[in-house]
Amino acid sequence: MAPGKTLLDKVWDPHSVRQLESGQTQLFIGLHLVHEVTSPQAFAMLRELDLPVRYPDRTFATVDHIIPTENQSRPLADSLAEEMLVALEKNTRDTGITLFDPASGKQGIVHVIGPEMGLTQPGMTIACGDSHTSTHGAFGAVALGIGTSQVRDVLATQCLAIGRPDVRRIEVTGKLAPGVYAKDVTLAIIRHLGVKGGVGYAYEYAGPVIDAMSIEERLTVCNMSIEGGARCGYINPDDTTIEYLRGREYAPQGEAWDRAVTHWRSVASDADAHYADKVVLDGGDLAPVVTWGINPGQSVGVDERLPRLADAGAEDRAQLAEAFDYMGLTSGEPIAGTEVDVCFVGSCTNGRISDLREAARVAQTGKVAQGVKAIVVPGSQAVARQAEEEGLPEVFRSAGFEWRLAGCSMCLAMNPDKLVGRQISASSSNRNFKGRQGSPTGRTLLMSPAMVVAAALKGKVTDVREVL
Ligand code: SF4
């Protein structure tokens, strides 16, 4: 008897238009999300070819990367940012695409607003000109980050030419200890499998730890699939997924809801599905994780020491030495106690309301250390409104944090929120590449939002379990 199917099989096959000679699939894309950075050239190419947008009703746009988080009044202070926003407004207006701009009250980071409005649904194929599109897999969607020329292809044809990945099932067993979060799980997976370990794979996350997670936590896990090299990552839809979607603006209603729920449940992987690979991690073993190097795989538990160069094999040694040299950290030293200059809570990894609630819970325990700049940036205007209703900005402000407007902020620093010089930041974002946060020599330590706040209060990397 043939083995059962994975979710990837069940979503991929019905969206497959045809097999291309290259071996790739021409894959129909159910939902296309667009932002201001990777779309202007794609729209320009469409204009040159005199092509319309094939399915404007399946395409939604927002502004996130370049939007300032202190003052969003128009025209934006940075003329280049203003130009990019004007171009997005014109392109979406001319093509009939819905744009969620700051005036809409629905603006935010593309991977925050899609889920919160119910645009992201199980069984969908989703594409966006942004690496962290894998985030949407949390709902049981096949969500693919694409480049600018592929944005053009999807705008023009609603299809992508793409190779089909194999599926690796990653089971996280046990139960997370207090102070250990979804961010720690995803960083631990990347540490275990490596930043290139997922090349050629879709990651299917499963097991008791994943099952127990809220949708927001699952979004955090799937967000970083790409940092482990995977083409995408997903979690099978279950009751948690369905309850999250109920009543959301773009979720089906009435009879359509019942039909959708039946379909959503049917796309989950079969119990006897075949996987190209299976990996098991014990979630009960995990401590809060902190990156120390220049890729998200270079991390340690907060209670561990940095790797010792002398113990590294010849292959790894050069990479480790480069990371130590850039970061100015010493091989074999504990990560706890590393002093930080800037603390950033936000991004599409950890800028949701549950992240901010947990960050506020830690912020209540003290004051930001002298000399540390600490900012909290909601992932969307809806997150900001919810946080305001719950009084979170006040909690942050009284602890010495700045409360900002929604945007990508310091994650990529294509806006005024940047590190300066050799500053070192504790960041709840997803990339710690050289220069990622706006200064060519700036340094990033990735960790959970609760750990970022603990670092802000103490002025150094601190085990949040000691603060709570
Ligand atoms: S928050 Fe960072 S990773 Fe996410 S979409 Fe914005 S720049 Fe990209």
Side-chain angles (χ1 to χ4, degrees):
M1 217 171 74
K5 292 182 171 183
T6 62
L7 178 141
L8 188 105
D9 298 328
K10 294 185 192 184
V11 175
W12 196 276
D13 293 338
H15 286 89
S16 169
V17 177
R18 66 189 167 118
Q19 206 60 24
L20 302 170
E21 277 177 19
S22 61
Q24 293 176 303
T25 304
Q26 182 183 347
L27 192 71
F28 184 80
I29 298 301
L31 173 67
H32 187 197
L33 300 168
V34 169
H35 64 84
E36 75 284 8
V37 177
T38 50
S39 67
Q41 277 174 295
F43 280 111
M45 287 189 267
L46 236 62
R47 268 194 297 276
E48 272 167 33
L49 298 165
D50 200 20
L51 289 171
V53 171
R54 184 71 182 79
Y55 284 106
D57 54 332
R58 289 181 176 273
T59 313
F60 296 84
T62 186
V63 55
D64 50 11
H65 288 63
I66 55 101
I67 198 85
T69 62
E70 282 191 287
N71 179 358
Q72 296 180 349
S73 43
R74 305 288 297 275
L76 301 175
D78 176 349
S79 58
L80 184 59
E82 175 64 21
E83 215 176 280
M84 289 171 89
L85 181 47
V86 167
L88 186 67
E89 287 168 334
K90 177 172 172 20
N91 287 330
T92 50
R93 202 171 44 240
D94 290 354
T95 54
I97 293 171
T98 302
L99 167 64
F100 302 117
D101 63 7
S104 71
K106 299 176 183 177
Q107 172 268 342
I109 307 174
V110 65
H111 310 310
V112 175
I113 63 163
E116 76 188 6
M117 285 196 272
L119 283 165
T120 303
Q121 296 171 16
M124 276 185 167
T125 48
I126 299 175
C128 173
D130 188 273
S131 315
H132 296 88
T133 307
S134 58
T135 311
H136 305 260
F139 287 78
V142 172
L144 304 157
I146 56 177
T148 293
S149 56
Q150 292 171 306
V151 173
R152 170 204 60 197
D153 296 348
V154 180
L155 286 172
T157 68
Q158 204 63 28
C159 290
L160 260 185
I162 182 167
R164 180 186 190 127
D166 291 326
V167 181
R168 170 183 285 151
R169 183 174 164 94
I170 302 176
E171 271 186 39
V172 189
T173 59
K175 190 169 180 274
L176 298 183
V180 180
Y181 300 92
K183 181 63 159 289
D184 303 303
V185 172
T186 195
L187 285 171
I189 290 170
I190 298 167
R191 180 185 183 189
H192 183 66
L193 295 171
V195 287
K196 293 189 183 148
V199 172
Y201 286 108
Y203 280 174
E204 175 177 307
Y205 302 100
V209 164
I210 304 291
D211 292 344
M213 284 182 179
S214 68
I215 281 292
E216 297 202 349
E217 293 171 298
R218 294 178 188 184
L219 287 161
T220 299
V221 172
C222 289
N223 175 272
M224 293 197 67
S225 307
I226 189 78
E227 302 306 329
R231 190 65 187 85
C232 59
Y234 67 82
I235 293 166
N236 287 308
D238 60 7
D239 291 347
T240 304
T241 322
I242 289 160
E243 285 316 308
Y244 179 91
L245 280 165
R246 193 186 292 278
R248 303 238 162 216
E249 184 178 353
Y250 284 90
Q253 313 287 333
E255 276 179 32
W257 168 261
D258 297 334
R259 276 199 306 277
V261 169
T262 306
H263 172 60
W264 294 344
R265 290 197 190 278
S266 77
V267 297
S269 295
D270 295 329
D272 61 343
H274 168 75
Y275 296 94
D277 192 31
K278 286 189 188 178
V279 173
V280 178
L281 249 84
D282 185 351
D285 273 357
L286 297 180
V289 180
V290 181
T291 65
W292 61 268
I294 50 175
N295 72 54
Q298 291 176 323
S299 68
V300 288
V302 67
D303 47 5
E304 287 178 58
R305 289 175 176 270
L306 303 183
R308 281 165 45 91
L309 262 184
D311 297 341
E315 245 176 58
D316 297 337
R317 197 167 302 151
Q319 239 189 5
L320 289 182
E322 182 190 355
F324 280 123
D325 182 47
Y326 182 83
M327 295 298 291
L329 299 176
T330 310
S331 146
E333 288 296 301
I335 188 74
T338 305
E339 291 189 359
V340 299
D341 305 298
V342 176
C343 293
F344 166 56
V345 175
S347 86
C348 60
T349 318
N350 280 129
R352 298 183 177 80
I353 189 67
S354 53
D355 298 312
L356 303 194
R357 286 181 187 137
E358 199 56 18
R361 193 162 77 89
V362 185
Q364 264 167 347
T365 66
K367 299 270 181 232
V368 171
Q370 208 168 6
V372 172
K373 179 185 175 72
I375 66 171
V376 181
V377 187
S380 71
Q381 292 181 323
V383 170
R385 276 193 300 276
Q386 182 63 34
E388 277 152 21
E389 258 176 47
E390 297 178 22
L392 304 188
E394 242 350 273
V395 173
F396 289 122
R397 285 195 192 105
S398 19
F401 289 81
E402 295 173 35
W403 172 253
R404 299 290 187 84
L405 301 167
C408 293
S409 181
M410 198 173 268
C411 173
L412 181 59
M414 289 183 84
N415 55 73
D417 302 339
K418 296 181 199 298
L419 295 185
V420 178
R422 287 281 284 159
Q423 276 184 330
I424 189 157
S425 94
S427 177
S428 71
S429 54
N430 49 40
R431 280 194 171 155
N432 52 346
F433 299 165
K434 290 179 181 177
R436 167 77 177 182
Q437 292 191 288
S439 160
T441 53
R443 298 167 289 168
T444 303
L445 309 175
L446 302 176
M447 59 190 82
S448 72
M451 283 283 290
V452 170
V453 175
L457 301 185
K458 303 293 177 193
K460 58 190 179 188
V461 174
T462 300
D463 190 336
V464 68
R465 296 172 299 182
E466 293 165 10
V467 175
L468 280 171

